[in-house]
Amino acid sequence: MTSRRFVSAALIAGATAATLLLSGCVAGENQPAAPAAAESTATVTEGGTLNIDFATYNPLSLVIKEKGWLEDALSAQGVAVNWVQSAGSNKANDALRAGAIDVGSTAGSAALLARSNGSPIQVIDIFSQPEWAALVVPAGSAITSVGDLKGKQIAATKGTDPYFFLLQALEAEGLTQDDVTVQNLQHADGWAALQTGAVDAWAGLDPIMAGAEAAGATLLYRNVDFNSYGFLNATESFIAEKPDVAQTVVSVYEHARAWALANPDETAQILATVAGLDLAVATTVITERSNLDVDNVPGDAQLSVLTKIGPTFVANFDVADQDLVDAALDTIINDEFATQADPTIVK
């Protein structure tokens, strides 16, 4: 259980007001909204629609969608399920901020960035601890180290784990973003640009990256410690208004985790079908780089990683100042639903 666990809206609102008074900030200027208090999960939502994403970088979402478990679990309440595909953490964050989805999958770093910049989201479950990002160069590239990237063109999707992976890798070699040219391309477009020679390197994301590797690309630099966890995020309005549906989502996710761990071959087949990957490539992603066997309750383990990444946001002007990052770290975790998850609701 985390020491930064979800607390009442009244306490957070008071702390947020005090922070604003001390900093001289005006309410609403890039400040994360205070989390709404979750009502008792005795609440029973009747009718309406759950808008939730699925993403190839979140294998559990693919399994749940394929099996129809959410639809079954919510059918008695008349709640429809609308699945929306996310092409990357940045797209999931855009959809959450716009209210187009209630629940979305992102890397932990992307969730923290969004919360630091005022998006009212919280992590309600951890879906993986993946090694899903690395720096990639074409086969036969003269670039053999991170240091060789100085002055080069690199494709990366800003606001996602591969982008922050790139920044951390550069920093580890004594370089900064100013030493390279970052082309802000969506993940699949980054791989395409690497293939055509439009960029010299690509900050890649699985499963696209695994396909690139199988096609001959080289993983120039890997570091599992520079990858953040897979976060399942929900908007605060959804948590406050439909806590029972939020609990159902997390409980179904935990059933899916157990099923995926027990059925890696079928999980890989589902990923291969949805992502258009060779089965061998999808198997590599599931068995070697996804790490689904992780504690689902968000807490200190995730905050430890995010605390290291946070200053990078400020140094690269993605967030105005460290106070905003610190406020986000104090309010992004909501462990209530993961703690109470009941995988047996899926029959």
Side-chain angles (χ1 to χ4, degrees), residues 110-125:
L112 179 63
L113 175 65
R115 176 112 196 150
S116 297
N117 284 321
S119 183
I121 60 170
Q122 291 185 307
V123 52
I124 59 174
D125 198 43

Side-chain angles (χ1 to χ4, degrees), residues 139-194:
S141 173
I143 298 171
T144 59
S145 70
V146 174
D148 292 338
L149 293 173
K150 186 173 183 178
K152 303 300 185 183
Q153 300 270 338
I154 306 173
T157 310
K158 290 190 174 183
T160 70
D161 237 30
Y163 170 65
F164 297 117
F165 183 96
L166 168 63
L167 297 184
Q168 292 176 90
L170 291 173
E171 181 181 19
E173 293 298 318
L175 301 175
T176 71
Q177 185 173 340
D178 293 338
D179 291 312
V180 300
T181 300
V182 176
Q183 291 197 21
N184 184 21
L185 300 172
Q186 204 60 43
H187 301 298
D189 296 330
W191 166 225
L194 190 71

Side-chain angles (χ1 to χ4, degrees), residues 20-43:
L20 290 174
L21 287 172
L22 289 171
S23 65
C25 293
V26 177
E29 289 187 352
N30 291 324
Q31 290 290 334
E39 299 175 16
S40 167
T41 50
T43 299

Side-chain angles (χ1 to χ4, degrees), residues 176-334:
T176 71
Q177 185 173 340
D178 293 338
D179 291 312
V180 300
T181 300
V182 176
Q183 291 197 21
N184 184 21
L185 300 172
Q186 204 60 43
H187 301 298
D189 296 330
W191 166 225
L194 190 71
Q195 291 174 279
T196 63
V199 296
D200 303 294
W202 167 51
L205 178 73
D206 271 339
I208 301 170
M209 184 173 70
E213 187 179 17
T218 299
L219 300 189
L220 171 72
Y221 181 76
R222 300 172 67 176
N223 187 334
V224 68
D225 291 336
F226 287 174
N227 291 258
S228 64
Y229 288 75
F231 277 26
L232 189 69
N233 307 304
T235 63
E236 289 174 353
S237 58
F238 173 70
I239 291 171
E241 296 165 11
K242 301 180 180 181
D244 59 321
V245 180
Q247 187 63 70
T248 296
V249 169
V250 175
S251 293
V252 170
Y253 254 84
E254 291 318 300
H255 176 82
R257 183 193 310 280
W259 185 92
L261 288 169
N263 299 275
D265 292 342
E266 189 173 347
T267 302
Q269 183 61 70
I270 292 171
L271 173 61
T273 299
V274 176
L277 295 172
D278 182 84
L279 181 57
V281 173
T283 299
T284 296
V285 172
I286 295 300
T287 61
E288 298 180 20
R289 299 216 281 251
S290 291
N291 190 14
L292 302 175
D293 191 13
V294 63
D295 185 356
N296 73 298
V297 181
D300 290 337
Q302 290 72 42
L303 290 173
S304 177
V305 174
L306 296 182
T307 299
K308 296 174 184 177
I309 294 174
T312 305
F313 300 162
V314 180
N316 289 280
F317 308 105
D318 294 307
V319 177
D321 59 62
Q322 185 63 37
D323 287 344
L324 294 173
V325 176
D326 292 343
L329 285 167
D330 284 337
T331 56
I332 196 170
I333 297 290
N334 183 336

Side-chain angles (χ1 to χ4, degrees), residues 34-123:
E39 299 175 16
S40 167
T41 50
T43 299
V44 178
T45 300
E46 296 289 347
T49 300
L50 165 66
N51 295 299
I52 186 169
D53 82 341
F54 68 101
T56 57
Y57 54 86
N58 177 0
L60 297 185
S61 70
L62 306 183
V63 170
I64 293 168
K65 183 175 183 292
E66 170 71 19
K67 297 296 183 179
W69 290 328
L70 263 179
E71 288 83 351
D72 291 344
L74 293 170
S75 62
Q77 295 171 240
V79 177
V81 179
N82 177 41
W83 291 96
V84 179
Q85 184 165 15
S86 291
S89 293
N90 60 323
K91 298 300 184 182
N93 274 330
D94 287 346
L96 284 163
R97 185 186 290 272
I101 57 175
D102 305 304
V103 181
S105 318
T106 76
S109 59
L112 179 63
L113 175 65
R115 176 112 196 150
S116 297
N117 284 321
S119 183
I121 60 170
Q122 291 185 307
V123 52

